[in-house]
Amino acid sequence: MHRTATKLADGRELVYFDQAAGAVRDVRDERPLEPAASLSEIRLDPVLGEWVTVAAHRQQRTYRPPAGECPLCPSRDGRLSEIPAADYEVAVFENRFPSLAPGSAEHVAARDAPLHTLRPGNGRCEVVCFTSDHDASFADLDEARARLVLDAWTDRTAELSALPGVRQVYCFENRGEEIGVTLAHPHGQIYAFPFVPSRTTRMIARAEAHRDRTGRNLFEDLLAAEQDTPERLVLRGEHWIAFVPFAARWPYEVHLYPKRRVADLTELTEPERAEFPGLYLDLLRRFDALFPAPPGAAPNRTPYISAWHQAPRTGGGQLALHLELFTVRRAPGKLKYLAGVESGMDAFVTDVSPEQAASRLREAALG
Ligand SMILES: [Zn+2]
C-alpha cells in the first residue's frame, strides 16, 4: 500500500491510498475555498448518561447533487471536486461539513453544570471514497481494492486514535437512499469520537461483568458458542467467522469477527488481513442476492449499514474487533422502520427469525 498525504485548498487533510508503490499524487486543489467554521458541541443527556452531538452548522451540506456535480468523483473536464486528481483508487479526506471537528474548541466553551454538561465536539469526521467509479458499489470492487480500503481504515484508525481528545475511532458505510445517504458515490465515513458512544460502553460493561463472573472473555466465549451453532453460521474462513447473532435486531444482520480476539484493525495480522476482502465481498453480494431484481430491472442493491466496532483508546481491553452488517429491508419493497417501540424505547422487534435469516444468507446465490 502506498500512501500520499496532502491538503485541500481550505486546509483539510486528504490522503490517497494506492496499490502501486510509485503512485504520484501531486495535483493541487485549485478551488477558492475558505476554511469552514466548526461549531460542533457535545451535550451529555443527564438522564441516560449518553452524549449527543449538536452540529447545527451542517444544515447547508450537499444534499443529493446530480451525478455531474458529485463532490466525490475525481476532478475532470474542468470540474473541480473534493479530490483534485483526475483519477484515484482510494481517497480519504476530512468532511467539509463535519459533525465533529477539531477546531470546535475555538468557538464552543465547555460547561460543567451538573445537569448541563457541554463540551466542544473536538473529534474528526472523514469521508472514505472506495473507488473513482461513481456508479459502482463496494460489492463491485475486486479483492485487491477491498484490501486497499481495509488498509485505509487501518491507517486512519492508527492516525486518528493518536489525535488529542479522540477516544474511539468508528469506520462505517451507509449504503442506499433508504438509509439516508445523500451522495450516491460509493463511500464510507470515519468518526473519531471525543467520547465513547453508549453502545460501546454497554458492550464493555457486559464483557467486564462476564469476566468477573467467569474469569473468561465474553467475545471469546461467544465465538466458541457460535462456531458450534450451524443454524446461525453464514461463512467461516480460516481466520474469520460470520454469523447472525442469537438476538439479531435487524431483518438481516451478520456479525463478522476475526477468530483471534484483537482490539482494533491495527492489531490484525497479515494472514487475517489477506482473508478479509474475499469474505466481506461475499457477504455484501449475498445481501444483494437476498432480494433479486425483476427481469429487465437494474440489479438489486440492498440498503445496508456496515459498522466496525473497535475498542476505544483506553478502557476497552475486553472488547473484540468486529464488523456488524445489517439491512433495513425485510422483504422486496418493504423496510423496517424504527418506530414507537424501537425509537421510543430502544427495544427492537424483528419479523425475521435469526435462524431463517442465516439460512437465507447461506443459500443466497453468489454474485
Ligand atoms: Zn461520484
Side-chain angles (χ1 to χ4, degrees):
M1 181 268 283
H2 182 74
R3 173 189 194 285
T4 312
T6 176
K7 296 266 191 211
L8 293 170
D10 57 2
R12 286 175 295 139
E13 193 168 15
L14 162 69
V15 186
Y16 294 100
F17 294 89
D18 287 280
Q19 292 172 46
V24 176
R25 298 292 182 189
D26 57 0
V27 182
R28 283 167 51 99
D29 181 8
E30 302 291 353
R31 296 172 298 170
L33 274 189
E34 290 298 318
S38 339
L39 302 167
S40 169
E41 58 188 52
I42 57 172
R43 298 185 181 198
L44 187 65
D45 178 333
V47 176
L48 291 173
E50 295 179 354
W51 289 98
V52 174
T53 302
V54 182
H57 59 282
R58 294 185 78 225
Q59 288 293 11
Q60 359 123 30
R61 70 186 188 273
T62 316
Y63 183 76
R64 292 192 191 168
E69 293 167 26
C70 173
L72 310 187
C73 276
S75 293
R76 284 179 189 150
D77 308 322
R79 201 186 62 82
L80 303 178
S81 72
E82 288 280 54
I83 298 160
D87 199 6
Y88 62 84
E89 293 186 11
V90 173
V92 180
F93 61 88
E94 283 183 77
N95 197 324
R96 181 152 168 85
F97 303 102
S99 302
L100 299 159
S104 299
E106 293 162 28
H107 308 277
V108 176
R111 204 190 304 170
D112 272 315
L115 299 179
H116 298 145
T117 300
L118 183 153
R119 297 274 180 279
N122 261 357
R124 182 148 138 164
C125 294
E126 296 187 339
V127 177
V128 184
C129 300
F130 302 140
T131 164
S132 62
D133 181 355
H134 182 87
D135 297 315
S137 131
F138 199 116
D140 301 327
L141 304 182
D142 62 18
E143 287 195 22
R145 179 62 62 88
R147 166 63 193 261
L148 194 60
V149 175
L150 173 65
D151 290 342
W153 285 329
T154 307
D155 175 275
R156 303 320 298 151
T157 297
E159 189 146 293
L160 296 177
S161 296
L163 292 180
V166 167
R167 301 284 309 280
Q168 187 181 24
V169 177
Y170 173 44
C171 307
F172 64 102
E173 181 190 358
N174 294 329
R175 203 276 286 265
E177 279 182 24
E178 298 91 335
I179 303 288
V181 175
T182 54
L183 297 173
H185 196 108
H187 72 287
Q189 299 182 65
I190 302 175
Y191 272 37
F193 288 112
F195 55 89
V196 179
S198 80
R199 192 173 163 84
T200 304
T201 305
R202 296 203 308 267
M203 282 184 195
I204 292 171
R206 294 284 298 174
E208 289 179 345
H210 184 88
R211 177 201 56 198
D212 294 347
R213 197 168 60 245
T214 66
R216 296 189 305 271
N217 178 268
L218 171 65
F219 293 95
E220 289 173 356
D221 280 1
L222 179 68
L223 286 206
E226 294 302 334
Q227 300 230 45
D228 291 336
T229 312
E231 60 266 35
R232 283 191 305 278
L233 269 186
V234 178
L235 282 178
R236 185 163 26 188
E238 191 183 346
H239 302 288
W240 296 79
I241 181 170
F243 57 89
V244 177
F246 175 69
R249 289 167 170 70
W250 300 94
Y252 294 92
E253 174 175 348
V254 172
H255 294 189
L256 176 64
Y257 280 80
K259 291 181 182 173
R260 185 180 66 93
R261 178 165 66 93
V262 297
D264 61 33
L265 291 164
T266 68
E267 293 186 357
L268 292 174
T269 60
E270 178 52 36
E272 289 161 345
R273 310 175 79 75
E275 191 182 61
F276 171 81
L279 291 178
Y280 184 52
L281 289 167
D282 186 352
L283 282 179
L284 293 180
R285 290 166 189 164
R286 284 170 194 256
F287 266 58
D288 282 344
L290 282 173
F291 308 106
N300 170 63
R301 290 188 167 175
T302 299
Y304 64 75
I305 291 172
S306 175
W308 277 110
H309 290 265
Q310 312 201 71
R313 186 149 75 181
T314 55
Q318 290 292 307
L319 201 77
L321 168 76
H322 66 282
L323 183 134
E324 299 189 1
L325 171 68
F326 56 89
T327 179
V328 297
R329 182 163 287 163
R330 55 191 174 86
K334 289 183 182 164
L335 299 181
K336 162 79 182 168
Y337 288 103
L338 298 191
V341 179
E342 292 84 3
S343 294
M345 291 303 275
D346 279 349
F348 273 71
V349 179
T350 179
D351 318 319
V352 182
S353 93
E355 291 75 24
Q356 279 170 358
S359 163
R360 290 217 43 217
L361 283 162
R362 283 194 301 271
E363 289 160 9
L366 297 179

